[in-house]
């Protein structure tokens, strides 16, 4: 799947989310814990207006736990509650409903005071492609998920998924676009697999990914490939030299004993995305 975002697309995506915002109490903004800012929509604050919002740092299983804790603080300092989760395994997914309730606490208290029985909180998951929206919806829905059917005022065909007595989710997430015009953002998105490999060459993605990794994760790189990674991140030749060393170790050779850099890059890229190099965050607050 390649998503090409053009102005028309963006406007439509934005309108679709704005329509859905009328139906919900809380927006759940899903980000990639390895690249929280690069996986963020540049217009998110404008799009979500003042809706109560919970930020989820997904794929925390692949991210550096220390960096994830720093990101949670970063968001807190910016007035947003952030919760690291792993939608695949369901780790910490149970904390989402209580966090949403906290966001709605004042409103719920008001309803109770007026003698109104609080209804389940209605939420919408939003995020860029591949960040894990469908995985999370399935995880929250679980086996017992009941699709509660159309409700008045809901776009025809829009379904609510009742995750438990306290939370109902719109079954289709809001799809946002990333800030792809920024090259560094594009590299980070490609390195984590958020954008498809046809968009950038794997050699280029890996070259920059190594540069971003070196200050924090030289040890992990050295250990994984048994090759020295203790060099300056701005030393281009040393980065290429490292990629070649990986290629030689992994038998990626072409005639004349030269290294097939593309093959070596593909190995590095797969390892990075699969977490084989370690739990790596490519962007630090
Ligand atoms: P989307 O709806 O936002 O587009 O994302 P989706 O749920 O389809 O998830 C995209 C990929 O991310 C899936 O991999 C999914 O398994 C993976 N994923 C989602 N949440 C987590 C998580 O918490 N940890 C890890 N490690 N992976 C997660 P996939 O099916 O293999 O797709 P792809 O890699 O072929 O794109």
């Amino acid at each position: 799947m390649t998503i090409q975002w053009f102005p028309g697309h963006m406007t439509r995506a934005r309108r679709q989310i704005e329509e859905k915002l009328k139906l919900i109490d809380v927006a759940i903004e899903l980000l990639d814990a390895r690249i929280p800012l690069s996986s963020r929509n540049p217009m998110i604050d404008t799009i979500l207006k003042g809706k109560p919002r919970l930020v989820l740092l997904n794929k925390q299983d692949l991210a550096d736990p220390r960096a994830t804790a720093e990101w949670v603080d970063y968001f807190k300092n910016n007035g947003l509650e952030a919760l690291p989760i792993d939608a695949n395994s369901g780790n910490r997914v149970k904390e989402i409903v209580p966090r949403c309730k906290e966001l709605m606490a004042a409103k719920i208290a008001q309803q109770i005071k007026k003698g109104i029985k609080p209804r389940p909180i209605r939420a919408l998951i939003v995020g860029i492609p591949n960040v894990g929206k469908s995985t999370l919806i399935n995880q929250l829905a679980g086996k017992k998920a009941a699709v509660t059917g159309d409700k008045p005022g809901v776009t025809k065909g829009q379904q609510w998924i009742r995750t438990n007595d306290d939370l109902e989710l719109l079954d289709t997430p809001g799809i946002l676009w990333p800030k792809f015009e920024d090259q560094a953002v594009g590299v980070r998105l490609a390195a984590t697999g958020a954008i498809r490999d046809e968009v950038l060459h794997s050699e280029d993605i890996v070259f920059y990914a190594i540069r971003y990794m070196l200050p924090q994760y030289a040890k992990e790189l050295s250990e994984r490939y048994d090759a020295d990674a203790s060099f300056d991140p701005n030393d281009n030749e040393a980065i290429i030299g490292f990629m070649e060393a990986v290629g030689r170790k992994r038998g990626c050779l072409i005639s004349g004993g030269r290294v097939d850099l593309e093959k070596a890059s593909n190995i590095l890229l797969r390892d990075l995305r699969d977490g084989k190099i370690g739990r790596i965050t490519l962007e630090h607050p």
Side-chain angles (χ1 to χ4, degrees), residues 3 8 13 21 37 51 56 66 81 85 87 104 142 159 172 175 183 192 212 214 220 225 227 234 239 242 269 271:
I3 293 201
L21 280 184
L37 291 190
K51 241 341 136 185
L56 298 179
R66 255 185 321 159
E81 280 299 312
I85 64 156
M104 295 297 296
Q159 305 271 296
T172 46
I175 302 173
Q183 192 215 19
T192 51
Y212 301 146
L214 280 172
E220 283 81 351
Y225 302 105
N234 292 312
I239 296 179
F242 180 79
L269 196 51
D271 285 356

Side-chain angles (χ1 to χ4, degrees), residues 121-255:
I121 295 170
R122 292 184 187 149
L124 168 70
I125 291 176
V126 297
I128 65 167
N130 254 326
V131 73
K133 296 179 296 300
S134 316
T135 310
L136 178 62
I137 290 174
N138 290 336
Q139 187 64 248
L140 277 167
K143 285 197 192 82
K144 288 182 295 243
V147 174
T148 58
D150 292 359
K151 288 202 167 143
V154 179
T155 318
K156 204 169 153 22
Q158 194 92 77
Q159 305 271 296
W160 291 92
I161 300 169
R162 177 169 268 213
T163 65
N164 64 11
D165 287 343
D166 298 322
L167 183 78
E168 290 180 348
L169 267 186
L170 274 179
D171 69 340
T172 46
I175 302 173
L176 294 164
W177 62 96
K179 193 178 163 190
F180 54 83
E181 61 275 16
D182 180 326
Q183 192 215 19
V185 169
V187 168
R188 287 182 168 94
L189 289 168
T192 51
I195 51 181
R196 294 285 136 180
D197 295 347
E198 304 93 68
V199 183
L200 290 167
H201 288 293
S202 55
E203 290 107 302
D204 297 330
I205 303 168
V206 168
F207 176 90
Y208 286 107
I210 290 176
R211 172 170 290 170
Y212 301 146
M213 278 189 265
L214 280 172
Q216 320 261 352
Y217 309 110
K219 187 167 156 269
E220 283 81 351
L221 280 167
S222 296
E223 280 174 6
R224 170 81 189 166
Y225 302 105
D226 191 20
D228 181 28
S230 56
F231 47 85
D232 181 348
N234 292 312
D235 186 342
N236 294 351
E237 282 180 24
I239 296 179
I240 301 283
F242 180 79
M243 290 161 70
E244 285 175 342
V246 171
R248 266 191 298 276
K249 301 244 177 213
R250 296 297 156 101
C252 309
L253 298 174
I254 38 181
S255 59

Side-chain angles (χ1 to χ4, degrees), residues 4-208:
Q4 300 277 0
W5 290 103
F6 295 108
H9 257 91
M10 293 186 203
T11 308
R12 196 154 2 114
R14 189 177 166 172
R15 285 212 186 112
Q16 275 168 1
I17 291 179
E18 280 168 353
E19 278 301 305
K20 290 176 179 174
L21 280 184
K22 294 177 194 154
L23 311 170
I24 57 147
D25 306 303
V26 174
I28 297 176
E29 183 190 4
L30 202 53
L31 302 177
D32 187 319
R34 297 166 294 175
I35 50 166
L37 291 190
S38 293
S39 60
R40 202 156 205 228
N41 176 274
M43 294 172 71
I44 190 69
D45 291 338
T46 316
I47 293 173
L48 295 182
K49 304 200 172 85
K51 241 341 136 185
R53 189 188 335 174
L54 176 65
V55 171
L56 298 179
L57 301 172
N58 191 35
K59 310 197 186 185
Q60 69 145 343
D61 54 309
L62 298 172
D64 176 349
R66 255 185 321 159
T68 302
E70 285 169 17
W71 278 114
V72 169
D73 289 343
Y74 167 90
F75 284 105
K76 202 169 190 69
N77 293 335
N78 284 283
L80 287 169
E81 280 299 312
L83 173 69
I85 64 156
D86 169 356
N88 253 355
S89 75
N91 187 19
R92 300 194 72 177
V93 165
K94 278 200 173 71
E95 292 174 49
I96 294 174
V97 176
R99 292 292 191 104
C100 288
K101 278 182 164 174
E102 279 169 29
L103 289 171
M104 295 297 296
K107 200 171 167 189
I108 292 173
Q110 228 178 16
Q111 286 173 333
I112 292 172
K113 211 170 144 197
K114 284 188 196 157
I116 305 167
K117 186 176 177 282
R119 57 163 175 73
I121 295 170
R122 292 184 187 149
L124 168 70
I125 291 176
V126 297
I128 65 167
N130 254 326
V131 73
K133 296 179 296 300
S134 316
T135 310
L136 178 62
I137 290 174
N138 290 336
Q139 187 64 248
L140 277 167
K143 285 197 192 82
K144 288 182 295 243
V147 174
T148 58
D150 292 359
K151 288 202 167 143
V154 179
T155 318
K156 204 169 153 22
Q158 194 92 77
Q159 305 271 296
W160 291 92
I161 300 169
R162 177 169 268 213
T163 65
N164 64 11
D165 287 343
D166 298 322
L167 183 78
E168 290 180 348
L169 267 186
L170 274 179
D171 69 340
T172 46
I175 302 173
L176 294 164
W177 62 96
K179 193 178 163 190
F180 54 83
E181 61 275 16
D182 180 326
Q183 192 215 19
V185 169
V187 168
R188 287 182 168 94
L189 289 168
T192 51
I195 51 181
R196 294 285 136 180
D197 295 347
E198 304 93 68
V199 183
L200 290 167
H201 288 293
S202 55
E203 290 107 302
D204 297 330
I205 303 168
V206 168
F207 176 90
Y208 286 107

